[in-house]
């Protein structure tokens, strides 16, 4: 590999900082930026999830600029794992605050990286259980507007394939 991509994600960036770099100016600059950000990656792990997401997304953008398309650098998989973790953590935090739709969106973002994990699945299950409990409580709700609003919330916090989503969609048909 021309830039030493085999094992050390930062080794290819060292090429860019050499005086006689085989890279053009823009590529060398991107490599230097990637090396700088990669060296800060470990420090980002202690940042709050939102700030960590921004830093990881910037690294991912640089990686995609250097190796566009289906070519994956050693860094890309690590970034995807870290971003999936960050989105899962953001989803769990939103869940804890009762922001169910936000929790669902963050968990979906985590799942978009294709990294199935027991923690991610457990987070979806907790959200599904909350939706199921809300559906059960709705049996006693007499205010049609509140009932319809809660059904809409259930639809926003569950996967279309889930039973709670299907039940909420079916029940929501009676809403104005």
């Amino acid at each position: 590999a021309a830039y030493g991509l085999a094992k050390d994600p930062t080794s290819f960036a060292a090429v860019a900082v050499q005086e006689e770099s085989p890279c053009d100016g823009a590529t060398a600059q991107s490599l230097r930026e990637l090396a700088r950000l990669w060296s800060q990656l470990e420090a980002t792990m202690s940042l709050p999830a939102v700030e960590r997401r921004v830093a990881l997304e910037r690294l991912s953008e640089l990686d995609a600029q250097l190796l566009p398309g289906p070519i994956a650098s050693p860094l890309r998989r690590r970034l995807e794992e870290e971003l999936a973790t960050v989105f899962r953590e953001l989803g769990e935090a939103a869940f804890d605050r009762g922001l169910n739709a936000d929790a669902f969106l963050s968990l979906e973002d985590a799942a978009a990286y294709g990294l199935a994990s027991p923690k991610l699945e457990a987070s979806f299950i907790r959200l599904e259980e909350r939706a199921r409990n809300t559906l059960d409580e709705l049996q006693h709700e007499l205010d049609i507007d509140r009932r319809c609003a809660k059904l809409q919330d259930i639809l926003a916090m569950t996967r279309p394939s889930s039973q709670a989503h299907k039940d909420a969609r079916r029940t929501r048909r009676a809403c104005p």
Side-chain angles (χ1 to χ4, degrees), residues 66-125:
L66 293 171
L67 296 171
I71 301 169
S73 74
L75 177 60
R76 188 169 301 167
R77 190 67 182 159
R78 170 98 188 265
L79 290 170
E80 290 172 351
E81 290 170 1
E82 294 297 338
L83 281 164
T85 298
V86 167
F87 281 117
R88 180 184 50 78
E89 290 171 358
L90 289 170
E92 290 170 353
F95 177 88
D96 292 343
R97 291 189 317 269
L99 303 172
N100 301 319
D102 291 344
F104 178 76
L105 291 174
S106 290
L107 295 176
E108 283 288 296
D109 286 341
Y113 287 99
L115 303 171
S117 76
K119 287 181 178 181
L120 180 59
E121 192 55 37
S123 295
F124 275 117
I125 290 170

Side-chain angles (χ1 to χ4, degrees), residues 3 16-18 21-33 66:
Y3 299 113
V17 295
Q18 294 174 358
S21 173
C23 304
D24 65 35
T27 302
Q29 179 60 34
S30 292
L31 287 170
R32 281 192 292 277
E33 176 69 5
L66 293 171

